[in-house]
Amino acid sequence: MFGFGGRTLALAEKYRWMSPNQRRDFAVVKALAKLKAEDCEISFLPFNSSDDVQERRAQGSPKSDCNDQWQMIQGQFLNVSIMAIPCLCSVAPRGLAPNTRLNNGSMALIIARNTSRPEFIKHLKRYASVKNQFNFPFVETYTVEEVKVHPRNNTGVYDPEEEEDETASENCFPWNVDGDLMEVASEVHIRLHPRLISLYGGSMEEINDSKVTRETI
């Protein structure tokens, strides 16, 4: 996550003495209070579900083919999420990216363009409900194979609260990478590596909830 998600984690890391829930809530409120958009360029390779294309990419070079059609969007973005799994959690029972699939080599690219603070808060609140959190005019979703996020200037460089007792790396943008803070000064390139690991499972056991299964490896 880049933008709001990265800034929230960067703030939370400054208050490790709080309990996890308090730290999360405190960081969200402070990030919303200083909400601002990042000026960046996002390039992505749309997902191609063709079996022969997926087979070729799984067995071939890790680099994208020259014939692949990259798309580019640019502007002011409040948040950018790239996810390969649904990311179910207590604040998002349906997941942060409920439409992701584990078996087809795709990722969900979810972007929230610049909008008012009240509208962005409505979007965040939808994650905790059964309503579609993406049904807003400023939210766009794409199914992709690769993504490049390139900040176009330093106007949005992270300055944690501009407080004297807090410091951060200069000219770096905070990313939330699976709950870990990563500070990057330039472009970030994200891609899936299909079939990188061979996984063997057995003894599948169904539990009471028919929608959930457990596998013993």
Side-chain angles (χ1 to χ4, degrees), residues 66-132:
C66 60
N67 293 328
D68 291 334
Q69 298 299 313
W70 284 80
Q71 297 183 21
M72 188 266 289
I73 53 178
Q74 57 188 6
Q76 301 280 329
F77 303 102
L78 290 176
N79 191 68
V80 179
S81 298
I82 303 104
M83 300 183 178
I85 59 176
C87 299
L88 278 68
C89 59
S90 60
V91 297
R94 296 177 59 247
L96 299 176
N99 296 326
T100 52
R101 296 291 180 268
L102 302 178
N103 61 349
N104 65 358
S106 70
M107 298 183 292
L109 169 62
I110 306 166
I111 63 172
R113 291 185 179 270
N114 197 15
T115 188
S116 66
R117 183 180 291 107
E119 285 299 304
F120 186 66
I121 291 175
K122 289 180 183 178
H123 163 60
L124 296 180
K125 286 184 175 180
R126 284 278 184 93
Y127 281 96
S129 72
V130 296
K131 296 181 179 180
N132 182 1

Side-chain angles (χ1 to χ4, degrees), residues 10-11 13-15 26 30 158-168:
L11 278 169
E13 289 297 303
K14 301 294 181 181
Y15 299 91
F26 179 78
K30 295 202 78 171
Y158 177 57
D159 185 2
E161 302 308 294
E162 300 177 351
E163 296 178 4
E164 295 181 356
D165 60 339
E166 293 181 313
T167 59

Side-chain angles (χ1 to χ4, degrees), residues 34-65:
K34 291 185 174 290
L35 185 66
K36 62 178 176 180
E38 305 285 8
D39 183 16
C40 60
E41 179 180 290
I42 302 173
S43 302
F44 61 91
L45 183 63
F47 175 65
N48 189 331
S49 60
S50 173
D51 291 339
D52 60 335
V53 171
Q54 293 304 311
E55 183 73 19
R56 173 170 48 82
R57 286 181 180 157
Q59 298 180 358
S61 170
K63 295 184 178 181
S64 302
D65 293 339

